[in-house]
Amino acid sequence: MCAIVGVFGVEKASTVAYYSLFSMQHRGQEATGISVTDGKRLTVYKKRGMVTDVFYQDILDGLRGRCAVGHNRYSTAGSDSVGDAQPVFAKYKLGEISVVHNGNLVNKQEVRQALIDKGAIFQTDMDTENIIHLIAKSEKNSLEDRIKDMLTKIEGAYCLAIQSRKKMFVIRDRFGIRPLSLGRFSDGGYIVASETCAFDLVGAEFIRDVKPGEMLIFEEGKEPTSQMVFENVDYHPCAFEYIYFARPDSIIDGKNVYKMRLQMGKRLAKETPTDIDLVLPVPDSGVAAARGYAEVLGVPFEMGIVRNHYVGRTFIEPTQAIRDLKVKMKLSPIEHLIAGKRVAIIDDSLVRGTTSKQIVRMLKEAGATEVHMRIASPEIKFPCRYGIDTPTREELISTKYTPSEIAKRMGADSLGFLSIEGLKESLGKDRNYSLVSFDGNYFAGGNAESPSCGEI
Ligand code: AMP
């Protein structure tokens, strides 16, 4: 998961990166960081915490230069040290570099072991550190060639921004799994960001998505250049970005995320209709899909569950007991709307089943006479290895139980999922979306047992 941003040719690039990271806070709340170059040296500031907690005016003022790369880190089980924050900085034969990375490399253990066997030492568990080592150890003469050399050795999902003292390199893997867009400022300068919502906040104009397999090179005084660094490009944008992860106002591959969610909800209603009085979303993740669901069935839609925004996401907490408590802290039903009603409750996805179980209980306690759970994505049966943090197969509730068994365990009157075909049609058949969590097609390498984000 995570967010990256690269800003080039802009005064106070660190401030632009700061606002961009702020708008992409949803992609990672554990740590954040920015690296800048003034043409002579790189300066990095990174820390655990949210963007507004980590950066202050005086810190940004100290990060001087016209090029900045930044990162928001998503919390993954077992890795929460500041050492795992990005950008990752290194001095090497050709000078200094900082790297930010969104995605997950599936061959990180093999690559790391090979590097360790040759004497490399590592400070963190991050696959991003492998990237730095591969660049440093390459025998090519220019950074550009070293980066290309490194790219032949890594597999999986990645969007990278690599900063040297004078240049910025941006690369998207040949499958284009994670999103990455290019924007421009009217008074000069460029920005690349994981999501277009960053452009809206900093006043950049969207130009286009970075192409799968493309490398963009930014250099002061020149127009950016583009080259395709892979011969076999096989575009598979991640469906889960549309389902859950991206912000609803973002546009990925020309498609607005909110509209896609609305479509999924509409299709869900056609596939799993039910006799109900009221449609409720799980806030905020199920809102757009619930609107679509209610519209197709012609049933009232209400924001019948209040979300306390001051609690972090529940999924990311390490133990089951804390996760349960956090659901209650986060969500609270409006009894007045719910009592005596047959309700459908819509969420975007079902992972471990923790949130849903609590919500069903909450709605029944609030007086709902029937609770029908509807999920606007298919059953998650496989861990994603391409950058969406999913637990092991054993922890995924849909690998162990059928929908009706899950409904029973949750105390729901029924449970329905969007079909894989329904998801494909909602997103549009113009693309081969990455559906790995649903169909187990690990097209970019790796398998259900490969290391996930943050692990090694
Ligand atoms: P669970 O309660 O374990 O089934 O998790 C489902 C909830 O977590 C849904 O409300 C989703 O919006 C949310 N969710 C789905 N995938 C993720 C993820 N990778 N990280 C954090 N939250 C997620």
Side-chain angles (χ1 to χ4, degrees), residues 36-43 64-67 163 165-166:
V36 287
T37 171
D38 58 6
K40 295 191 192 78
R41 58 187 283 261
L42 269 54
T43 313
R64 282 196 214 103
R66 287 166 55 83
C67 170
Q163 177 186 55
R165 285 179 285 204
K166 298 212 186 292

Side-chain angles (χ1 to χ4, degrees), residues 1 74 240 244-245 282-283 285-286 313-316 323 327 330 347-357 359 380 388-391 397 410:
M1 299 164 70
Y74 189 83
F240 222 78
Y244 166 74
F245 203 45
V282 174
S285 48
R313 286 178 178 172
T314 55
F315 184 87
I316 58 186
R323 265 195 295 274
V327 175
K330 188 162 102 170
D347 205 355
D348 67 294
S349 56
L350 192 67
V351 184
R352 294 182 171 94
T354 321
T355 322
S356 317
K357 192 173 175 192
I359 288 172
I380 298 182
I388 295 287
D389 180 38
T390 27
I397 195 162
M410 279 180 179

Side-chain angles (χ1 to χ4, degrees), residues 8 37 39 42 67 69 96-98 142-144 161-170 216-220 222:
F8 199 90
T37 171
L42 269 54
C67 170
V69 296
E96 300 181 340
I97 42 171
S98 283
S142 68
L143 176 55
E144 180 182 330
I162 302 174
Q163 177 186 55
S164 68
R165 285 179 285 204
K166 298 212 186 292
K167 292 185 186 171
M168 182 173 82
F169 300 82
V170 171
L216 292 168
I217 305 177
F218 298 82
E219 198 173 347
E220 200 72 59
K222 294 187 184 164

Side-chain angles (χ1 to χ4, degrees), residues 308-322:
N308 184 335
H309 283 266
Y310 303 99
V311 187
R313 286 178 178 172
T314 55
F315 184 87
I316 58 186
E317 294 300 321
T319 68
Q320 192 68 32
I322 294 178

Side-chain angles (χ1 to χ4, degrees), residues 344-455:
I345 172 86
I346 319 290
D347 205 355
D348 67 294
S349 56
L350 192 67
V351 184
R352 294 182 171 94
T354 321
T355 322
S356 317
K357 192 173 175 192
Q358 295 266 350
I359 288 172
V360 171
R361 195 186 313 149
M362 199 179 264
L363 293 173
K364 290 251 162 139
E365 281 169 11
T369 54
E370 290 175 27
V371 176
H372 300 272
M373 186 91 205
R374 293 291 178 272
I375 306 293
S377 62
E379 292 160 82
I380 298 182
K381 297 202 169 191
F382 301 88
C384 172
R385 293 304 181 218
Y386 305 144
I388 295 287
D389 180 38
T390 27
T392 59
R393 273 205 85 176
E394 297 67 53
E395 288 174 270
L396 293 168
I397 195 162
S398 291
T399 61
K400 285 189 283 191
Y401 305 106
T402 63
S404 58
E405 285 167 349
I406 299 173
K408 207 178 264 172
R409 295 176 73 84
M410 279 180 179
D413 295 276
S414 72
L415 170 65
F417 290 89
L418 183 64
S419 66
I420 293 185
E421 186 56 23
L423 172 61
K424 285 186 188 167
E425 283 182 12
S426 305
L427 292 173
K429 289 208 158 169
D430 55 328
R431 290 274 176 247
N432 261 331
Y433 287 95
S434 168
L435 302 171
V436 55
S437 311
F438 314 117
D439 65 8
N441 174 12
Y442 290 93
F443 56 89
N447 54 48
E449 274 70 50
S450 302
S452 93
C453 334
E455 295 167 11

